[in-house]
Amino acid sequence: MNRPLIELINVTKRYPGTIANDKVSMRVMPGAIHAVIGENGAGKSTLMKIIHGSVQPDEGQIIWKGREINFAPPQHMHALGIGMVFQHFALFEALSVLDNIHLSMPKEVARGETGNRAKAMAKRYGLMLRLDAVVGDLSVGERQQVEIIRCLLADPQLIIFDEPTAVLPPHAIDGLFQTIRSLAAEGRSVLYISHKLAEIKSLCHSATVLRGGQLVADVAIEDTPEQELAVLMTGRALPSYEHLPRTMGPVKLKVDRLSSEPRSHQEVQLNGVSFEVRAGEILGIAGVSGSGQQELFDHLSGERPSPRDDAVRIADTPVGRLSVLGRRQAGVAYVPEERHGHGAIPDLALDQNYLLSQFGTSTSWFNAMGLLKVESLRAAAQGCLRDFMVKAPDCSVTAGALSGGNLQKFIVGREFSKKPEVLLVSQPTWGVDIASSMFIRRSLVEIAASGCAIVVSSEDMDELLQICDRLVVMANGRTSPVVAAGNMDPLRLGLWMAGMFDDQSEPEVEVA
Amino acid sequence: MSARESLLAFSLEPRLLPSRWASRASPLLAMVVTATIAGAMFALLGASPLTGIQALLLSPINSASGISEVLLKASPLCLTAIGLSIAFKTSVNNIGAEGQVILGGIGATAVALHVPDSMSAWLAISLALLAGAAAGGLWAALPAWLRTRFGVNETLTTLLLVYVAVQLLSWLTTGPWRDPQGLNFPETRLFNANMTLPKLSDMGWSIWDGTRLNISAFFAVAAAVITQIFMTRSPMGFRLVVSGLAPRAAAYAGFSASTSIWAALSISGALSGFAGAVEVCGTLGQLQAGWVPGYGFTAIVAAYLGRLSAGLIVLSALLLALIDIGSTNVQMALGLPSAVSALLQGVLLLSILGLDLLVRYRIRRIA
Ligand SMILES: Nc1ncnc2c1ncn2[C@@H]1O[C@H](COP(=O)(O)OP(=O)(O)OP(=O)(O)O)[C@@H](O)[C@H]1O
Ligand SMILES: [Mg+2]
């Protein structure tokens, strides 16, 4: 059968100040895995939301199985058989995983039945699922798996994945690809968005390339080399990554047998975490997400003070019990994993979001009368937009209106421009396009070269290998020995990720 | 969720684009709806709807003294509602402003009864008002302590403390503070002249001659201006807004959750207390056991009606005061029961909430 499952004709969506989609046409055949690629802010998510029904376009047509549908709300699209796994998850944080899944099920399905189906689905596709965990306690990677299961349970014919692998652990990515391939083999269609071209090459059949909201090309993946895809997306050849020579200074950040007391049983307990980072050095933290990385960053940033003051030292000063403000004063900057509601507040304007992490720094944003210096704040926020190439009309738009990658660039820019002594970065390029990823990585290396100690946690092993000097693996709240990045082979990595560290490397158990 | 859908066979769907003008216009529409319902109600009760609405909305403001009464009613309501809006923005549910108002009255009275009448009026009045604000703030700080120390929900404790405040008022006015020359009435003696809020007519504003209007209206406007600046431009205001929107981001910024709770409750309590002090030193001139401010609760309506923004709350407080006085006029003009006022306020709030819902959602029949 040669009729497309879904066809878009000249779809246009305008936002104040931007045209997110400009006369975009696209067709997806049954059983096809179709990629939508483009830089941050190219309009991929917007186009997907139009198909999903959660965004209403200004012009254009959608044809589903040969019949034109009048842009209908999500419930109708859902009933037609369109499901979506969002880039920013739509889960209720206060509810359990099971409740979240149950809420999206038809009402005649009992709660127990939902649980069984979800478990079966998780097993079938090799996904991790803790049904009674509260979603608020899950790592981003785990939340994503909940979203995927929730979507698959509705048995959709067209499934949209908006950057599903951004934070998935490598083994889950393989599993997800198996899932997607078997879904396609069953005759379902998949729309797939990713910034990782290698994934697109191995998974997808065809691709729609967007640039600045416009359709640039429709290509068959087989006939198009990666390099060409990149050029189509960016309109220029990619800069090559260069290694900056760096000199290491004295130890800037020292974590010594850091242990934590979990506040809920969902939280991973840190157990004797130890490592050092020297000025000018980038230490990478590898590991399956949910192995204690979040808890570690909470303790390093000061959001959770440590029981022992000398468990965390900055330039030899114990700071373990210092608050966020105290540590910021000591030169700590932090880019959290979750952008919405942690690193930024979607409902506030960008300049307000800029102010969010400025308390405790040496710059004062308040005048002698204690009032906000609106103009200088604007100027600083505007400078951040410019220096980090954030696509936004100006700093008075809300953070929620930015595309995922652009918000990430904004947060990264905000933290980098503090010229920190110690920089904590969780998932630096999650959802960021290739060119910007390279830019962020290059900036990381430059900041290190200026004498900053950097801790980066990432699911993306290639990224860590590219920028880090040394690596440590987290598993189950414990850290492996630290090794030079060049000495990390896949076998060792696999063993360490499973928590099997060498014996002689066990941290000493003596307590001061 | 399922029950809602199956019982009604209607469902609410989020609108794709909540329209901006609709959200601006909804308070006006709500007034039209309220007026229509009021008219219908008058007709049902056998009175002429037009006379009723005229008595309700126009009769209160057809004279200087009428306007002065509306302003006098609106001022403490506005002060209290502005305080509440700060708490609500912080996602702190202070619903016990009534108790904090009463404590403010008690605090002001404590000063009024013990300060010599030789003290200069400005100093005396300032002391009384400050004491009122402090008392209200401390009363609201109690739930803050319970919440931050023991995790007790402030919605419950602020409300329960209203009843404690009422008991305290009645004990003080029947016991230690009762006027010995007062023929056993449960009330204090009348305050000295240096303890009463200056009237505008006494300050040389001849248009207000013969009215009771005092400087409380200025306090309300000043509070609105200061609060607006505080919330948008001060570090503490920013902290409160952030804590209210995203607790996790507040922790990231370095704001402790308990400081925000303490600040939100004490500030809102202090404004309520200030309102109570203003009323006791203004229109009442003494503390009485039977004093039921009432606007401690109405202020919740006023705060939400004004969309938690200080400027709009000034308007919503004026509107609610107008309806309150208008209802009394309706009662007299048409011989209707006194519940009319509460009823109309309820209708107004419900229509606001209902219209707000329609701005963001639309109703769909389930096929
Ligand atoms: N609700 C909104 N209000 C205003 N502008 C918006 C809104 N949503 C998206 N935009 C703008 O539309 C453009 C396209 O955004 P979109 O989220 O579709 O990009 P994207 O291709 O998914 O990017 P990314 O790879 O970063 O996720 C961006 O410039 C964005 O700022
Ligand atoms: Mg996107």
Side-chain angles (χ1 to χ4, degrees):
Chain A
M1 191 174 64
N2 243 340
R3 193 179 63 180
L5 177 68
I6 189 167
E7 181 169 9
L8 306 191
I9 303 172
N10 287 338
V11 169
T12 297
K13 173 73 199 175
R14 294 182 203 92
Y15 283 115
T18 22
I19 304 184
N21 292 143
D22 189 2
K23 294 215 170 74
V24 176
S25 301
M26 179 176 87
R27 38 169 60 196
V28 183
M29 306 306 281
I33 306 178
H34 186 86
V36 180
I37 55 180
E39 298 195 283
N40 292 132
K44 307 177 295 295
S45 296
T46 307
L47 193 63
M48 296 305 107
K49 286 182 201 156
I50 288 173
I51 297 177
H52 170 258
S54 48
V55 163
Q56 181 134 44
D58 301 317
E59 286 155 31
Q61 291 170 287
I62 297 186
I63 295 169
W64 175 260
K65 293 185 179 166
R67 197 163 59 86
E68 174 164 2
I69 42 179
N70 230 337
F71 303 106
Q75 288 89 329
H76 289 214
M77 303 305 248
H78 194 249
L80 287 175
I82 298 176
M84 177 153 175
V85 176
F86 281 93
Q87 182 175 13
H88 297 108
F89 318 132
L91 298 170
F92 294 101
E93 302 227 338
L95 297 182
S96 73
V97 169
L98 178 55
D99 288 333
N100 265 288
I101 297 176
H102 188 60
L103 275 176
S104 65
M105 296 292 283
K107 45 184 175 268
E108 58 277 3
V109 181
R111 199 162 173 276
E113 174 63 18
T114 304
N116 292 340
R117 287 196 207 172
K119 265 188 240 157
M121 190 66 76
K123 196 158 161 226
R124 183 158 140 213
Y125 297 123
L127 297 170
M128 238 170 28
L129 193 66
R130 294 187 283 157
L131 280 179
D132 48 352
V134 175
V135 167
D137 295 333
L138 298 184
S139 71
V140 182
E142 290 168 304
R143 288 181 203 202
Q144 182 157 52
Q145 308 197 9
V146 177
E147 278 275 17
I148 293 175
I149 287 170
R150 188 162 80 157
C151 170
L152 292 182
L153 279 172
D155 191 27
Q157 286 182 47
L158 172 68
I159 306 140
I160 305 170
F161 287 93
D162 195 350
E163 301 192 32
T165 56
V167 287
L168 281 190
H171 66 89
I173 293 184
D174 294 341
L176 177 71
F177 283 10
Q178 287 312 318
T179 312
I180 293 181
R181 291 199 183 98
S182 49
L183 288 170
E186 289 165 18
R188 297 174 217 260
S189 307
V190 173
L191 272 168
Y192 188 88
I193 299 185
S194 173
H195 289 295
K196 299 178 187 165
L197 290 181
E199 279 180 4
I200 306 268
K201 281 298 276 184
S202 82
L203 183 70
C204 303
H205 307 135
S206 51
T208 292
V209 186
L210 298 178
R211 192 196 309 152
Q214 287 174 333
L215 179 69
V216 187
D218 251 314
V219 293
I221 291 293
E222 260 183 334
D223 324 331
T224 324
E226 249 182 64
Q227 203 55 37
E228 197 180 321
L229 285 177
V231 172
L232 280 175
M233 280 161 55
T234 58
R236 59 192 134 80
L238 281 181
S240 63
Y241 183 82
E242 67 215 271
H243 248 292
L244 278 182
R246 269 176 281 150
T247 43
M248 308 280 166
V251 172
K252 266 273 172 69
L253 172 70
K254 183 175 163 72
V255 181
D256 180 32
R257 284 162 292 147
L258 171 66
S259 299
S260 70
E261 292 140 29
R263 280 180 302 198
S264 74
H265 66 281
Q266 315 295 352
E267 227 173 67
V268 179
Q269 177 172 24
L270 297 178
N271 193 349
V273 171
S274 303
F275 56 78
E276 293 177 353
V277 193
R278 298 197 289 160
E281 187 181 36
I282 304 181
L283 175 78
I285 297 182
V288 179
S289 98
S291 302
Q293 293 95 330
Q294 185 57 57
E295 288 79 2
L296 174 62
F297 278 111
D298 284 350
H299 280 83
L300 293 183
S301 68
E303 279 176 48
R304 292 278 298 275
S306 311
R308 270 191 314 123
D309 212 19
D310 58 358
V312 182
R313 284 166 174 274
I314 292 175
D316 232 31
T317 318
V319 297
R321 281 205 280 262
L322 278 190
S323 65
V324 171
L325 297 183
R327 295 196 205 190
R328 205 173 274 144
Q329 221 151 27
V332 176
Y334 173 33
V335 179
E337 175 181 20
E338 176 70 69
R339 303 160 196 158
H340 286 169
H342 192 186
I345 301 179
D347 292 338
L348 287 186
L350 288 179
D351 51 0
Q352 304 271 303
N353 271 297
Y354 191 85
L355 184 61
L356 189 65
S357 69
Q358 302 296 321
F359 291 78
T361 58
S362 51
T363 339
S364 171
W365 299 97
F366 295 90
N367 64 20
M369 283 169 63
L371 292 184
L372 183 64
K373 298 186 216 159
V374 179
E375 287 312 317
S376 36
L377 177 65
R378 284 238 173 91
Q382 210 68 48
C384 173
L385 297 186
R386 193 185 52 234
D387 297 346
F388 285 79
M389 292 168 284
V390 181
K391 278 191 200 123
D394 65 49
C395 63
S396 62
V397 299
T398 60
L402 256 57
S403 81
N406 275 306
L407 183 54
Q408 178 71 1
K409 284 196 269 180
F410 173 74
I411 296 174
V412 162
R414 179 184 72 191
E415 299 311 307
F416 285 15
S417 44
K418 286 180 191 161
K419 309 239 177 310
E421 298 284 312
V422 172
L423 178 60
L424 312 169
V425 189
S426 185
Q427 312 290 3
T429 59
W430 174 32
V432 178
D433 64 40
I434 319 175
S436 310
S437 295
M438 294 200 62
F439 174 74
I440 289 178
R441 288 175 200 159
R442 202 145 16 109
S443 316
L444 273 171
V445 173
E446 274 167 23
I447 290 175
S450 72
C452 174
I454 303 184
V455 182
V456 181
S457 133
S458 174
E459 295 280 355
D460 184 345
M461 212 46 220
D462 296 334
E463 171 166 272
L464 290 181
L465 288 173
Q466 197 178 44
I467 57 174
C468 296
D469 304 294
R470 295 188 303 149
L471 288 175
V472 64
V473 179
M474 276 201 96
N476 248 326
R478 300 190 313 137
T479 39
S480 73
V482 182
V483 295
N487 292 346
M488 184 62 94
D489 55 274
L491 181 68
R492 187 187 245 179
L493 181 67
L495 282 176
W496 283 5
M497 277 170 114
M500 288 179 264
F501 313 142
D502 310 342
D503 275 325
Q504 79 274 14
S505 61
E506 283 288 329
E508 298 145 4
V509 258
E510 117 211 357
V511 178
Chain B
M1 173 184 174
S2 53
R4 187 187 71 207
E5 286 172 0
S6 56
L7 274 180
L8 298 174
F10 286 101
S11 76
L12 284 175
E13 264 171 18
R15 274 182 199 273
L16 298 174
L17 293 171
S19 75
R20 194 168 288 184
W21 77 264
S23 76
R24 299 255 161 83
S26 76
L28 290 179
L29 267 175
M31 283 178 63
V32 174
V33 171
T34 310
T36 315
I37 292 180
M41 189 175 72
F42 299 146
L44 275 179
L45 292 168
S48 141
L50 275 185
T51 330
I53 290 178
Q54 195 273 338
L56 180 69
L57 296 178
L58 299 179
S59 75
I61 45 173
N62 60 9
S63 69
S65 77
I67 294 175
S68 107
E69 288 305 309
V70 171
L71 291 177
L72 271 178
K73 249 222 152 60
S75 304
L77 174 62
C78 179
L79 285 166
T80 311
I82 285 175
L84 287 186
S85 73
I86 296 175
F88 296 156
K89 274 219 161 131
T90 317
S91 291
V92 167
N93 291 317
N94 178 7
I95 57 168
E98 181 84 356
Q100 295 142 24
V101 169
I102 292 179
L103 257 289
I106 292 177
T109 307
V111 170
L113 295 182
H114 297 102
V115 155
D117 57 0
S118 55
M119 186 184 267
S120 95
W122 284 110
L123 181 60
I125 268 293
S126 310
L127 278 181
L129 295 183
L130 281 180
L138 286 173
W139 199 246
L142 204 59
W145 178 67
L146 290 169
R147 161 86 188 266
T148 51
R149 184 74 182 76
F150 303 104
V152 187
N153 187 320
E154 76 282 359
T155 317
L156 199 62
T157 47
T158 48
L159 182 62
L160 289 180
L161 280 171
V162 173
Y163 304 105
V164 182
V166 170
Q167 292 306 319
L168 187 64
L169 171 69
S170 121
W171 175 70
L172 283 169
T173 45
T174 51
W177 286 355
R178 182 159 62 186
D179 180 9
Q181 275 100 52
L183 306 168
N184 254 345
F185 281 116
E187 55 191 32
T188 67
R189 67 175 168 80
L190 284 175
F191 296 168
N192 297 329
N194 64 345
M195 271 301 161
T196 12
L197 279 191
K199 282 197 194 130
L200 294 194
S201 54
D202 296 342
M203 296 166 71
W205 298 49
S206 52
I207 35 164
W208 298 112
D209 277 348
T211 70
R212 303 198 296 160
L213 188 60
N214 56 35
I215 57 172
S216 60
F218 293 137
F219 290 142
V221 173
V225 173
I226 293 171
T227 303
Q228 187 65 30
I229 295 173
F230 171 74
M231 288 307 271
T232 53
R233 293 198 54 195
S234 76
M236 182 54 88
F238 182 70
R239 160 201 284 268
L240 296 182
V241 170
V242 166
S243 308
L245 284 174
R248 194 82 205 279
Y252 170 72
F255 305 150
S256 95
S258 33
T259 311
S260 304
I261 294 170
W262 277 98
L265 276 166
S266 330
I267 296 174
S268 65
L271 273 163
S272 303
F274 189 81
V278 160
E279 198 186 2
V280 166
C281 297
T283 42
L284 294 183
Q286 66 179 160
L287 194 62
Q288 306 160 337
W291 180 40
V292 184
Y295 50 81
F297 293 115
T298 315
I300 302 174
V301 181
Y304 279 109
L305 206 56
R307 296 177 187 282
L308 304 186
S309 129
L312 293 179
I313 288 175
V314 174
L315 298 183
S316 71
L318 283 171
L319 179 64
L320 287 171
L322 175 68
I323 291 185
D324 195 37
I325 295 180
S327 311
T328 325
N329 294 359
V330 167
Q331 206 181 317
M332 290 186 297
L334 307 182
L336 296 183
S338 63
V340 167
S341 166
L343 199 77
L344 287 178
Q345 284 181 3
V347 170
L348 183 62
L349 184 67
L350 283 180
S351 15
I352 264 279
L353 293 179
L355 284 166
D356 271 2
L357 197 71
L358 290 183
V359 170
R360 272 178 293 128
Y361 295 87
R362 64 163 151 242
I363 299 174
R364 255 196 202 224
R365 190 80 197 249
I366 292 183

